[in-house]
Amino acid sequence: MGNESLRVNLAGLSLVNPTMLASGILGYSAETLKGIVEGGAGAVVTKSVGLNPRSGYANPTVVQTSCGLINAMGLPNPGIDEFAKDIREAKAHLKVPLIVSVYGFSAEEYAAVAEKAVLAGADALELNVSCPHVKETGAEIGQNPKILAEVVSRVKGAVDKPVFVKLSPNVVGIAEIAEAAVKAGADAITAINTVKAMAIDIETTKPILSNKRGGLSGLAIKPIAVRCVYDIYERVKAPIIGCGGITSWRDAVEFMLAGASAIQIGTAIALKGSRVFKSVTRGIKAYLKRKGFRSVEEIVGLAHRC
């Protein structure tokens, strides 16, 4: 079985394997992204970038729990004009698709940032409409189908590259939100972002994060994410990118059986390093061979045939 069995066509992007770096995990530099690709990722998604520079929240911004990480970074970023230099440098070195995560405080801002990212070389965009802890952007947009549709439509009208929409699990009906995004023109759905959470220091009796509330990532949210992918697959025809607690090839295969065409890995990098991508890819390939599948695309959504 050759490596072609792992190749994925994701809304027009050709990935050598279905693994992707999730947004928000590492820094912005091209060197950092290069290290992730050397670790085996089939595509990389940058941290979220906005129209203007933003310092984010004061420390502490991350706390480790027994079941994952809770973070409230506050979307720190240098602004798209400065970040465009890193996009150009990354494009000069990376041999995999580069997806730029963007956010804004209005549909116009999302479109302006997206346009500049594409001009700098982005192969696709991922709209962050799911950050759970910054007011007037992120989840506040992604929880409202009407506003979300306006954002997606405005961005699609501004760029000629694939547009992915990363959704929040902190909603009543994520499949309905996904359907609104796809009807507005989204080329793929990423599910899910972090789950609202917090941690309290019992000695000081105070919340640990400076923002008090944050988003939980890691193994604890995997069953939630798998359910979200399963629900979305039954509602929309667009490709789904599974994200949330994937640390092994078994997790990746579970997401694909639920309906994901590709998967993103984030928190597991902190636990296993960048080579987790090669480990997951090897495992998927061995699974396909053992089960008699010729292509990874053959297992997408198989759990729905039961």
Side-chain angles (χ1 to χ4, degrees):
M1 175 177 281
N3 289 332
E4 284 303 303
S5 63
L6 294 171
R7 186 171 290 279
V8 172
N9 184 317
L10 186 64
L13 299 182
S14 180
L15 277 59
V16 294
N17 70 65
T19 67
M20 307 169 64
L21 168 67
S23 175
I25 302 303
L26 300 173
Y28 287 91
S29 75
E31 196 63 29
T32 300
L33 296 176
K34 184 180 176 184
I36 291 296
V37 175
E38 290 173 350
V44 292
V45 187
T46 70
K47 290 188 72 170
S48 295
V49 63
L51 190 60
N52 300 308
R54 183 180 167 90
S55 57
Y57 300 137
N59 287 323
T61 54
V62 181
V63 58
Q64 184 168 4
T65 73
S66 60
C67 55
L69 301 176
I70 305 175
N71 87 83
M73 307 294 289
L75 295 173
N77 75 97
I80 185 60
D81 289 334
E82 181 65 25
F83 185 51
K85 302 172 187 173
D86 294 289
I87 296 174
R88 294 189 187 95
E89 185 179 352
K91 277 298 295 177
H93 294 92
L94 301 183
K95 303 300 182 186
V96 304
L98 172 66
I99 297 103
V100 175
S101 173
V102 303
Y103 76 90
F105 292 92
S106 67
E108 291 77 13
E109 275 198 21
Y110 272 95
V113 179
E115 197 169 12
K116 291 187 177 189
V118 168
L119 283 173
D123 295 305
L125 303 159
E126 184 177 85
L127 307 186
N128 181 349
V129 293
S130 44
C131 175
H133 49 69
V134 175
K135 292 182 178 179
E136 300 179 359
T137 186
E140 291 193 18
I141 289 174
Q143 291 171 343
N144 186 317
K146 185 177 179 181
I147 298 175
L148 172 61
E150 182 184 354
V151 168
V152 174
S153 179
R154 186 64 69 97
V155 173
K156 284 293 293 181
V159 301
D160 60 356
K161 297 291 184 180
V163 175
F164 307 159
V165 178
K166 188 170 186 176
L167 298 182
S168 169
N170 305 307
V171 295
V172 174
I174 193 170
E176 296 173 12
I177 301 291
E179 185 175 36
V182 172
K183 284 183 175 178
D187 297 288
I189 298 294
T190 303
I192 58 175
N193 207 319
T194 55
V195 178
K196 280 185 176 179
M198 70 181 300
I200 296 172
D201 187 324
I202 63 169
E203 299 301 329
T204 65
T205 71
K206 297 177 180 177
I208 296 175
L209 296 172
S210 67
N211 189 58
K212 298 181 182 178
R213 299 170 184 81
L216 175 66
S217 63
L219 199 55
I221 72 169
K222 196 197 82 177
I224 299 170
V226 170
R227 189 270 302 169
C228 288
V229 169
Y230 191 92
D231 287 352
I232 294 170
Y233 185 86
E234 293 193 335
R235 192 69 170 256
V236 304
K237 299 300 182 186
I240 304 166
I241 304 162
C243 181
I246 297 171
T247 60
S248 72
W249 69 265
R250 291 181 177 82
D251 299 330
V253 168
E254 187 177 354
F255 271 84
M256 290 178 178
L257 295 175
S261 296
I263 57 97
Q264 293 183 355
I265 297 175
T267 303
I269 298 172
L271 304 173
K272 297 186 174 183
S274 62
R275 294 183 67 82
V276 65
F277 293 96
K278 286 185 177 178
S279 173
V280 168
T281 301
R282 280 197 300 269
I284 295 172
K285 185 176 180 180
Y287 173 83
L288 296 177
K289 183 177 181 181
R290 177 163 59 85
K291 290 289 190 177
F293 296 110
R294 292 166 298 178
S295 165
V296 69
E297 294 179 341
E298 291 183 7
I299 70 172
V300 175
L302 273 186
H304 294 264
R305 297 184 183 178
C306 300

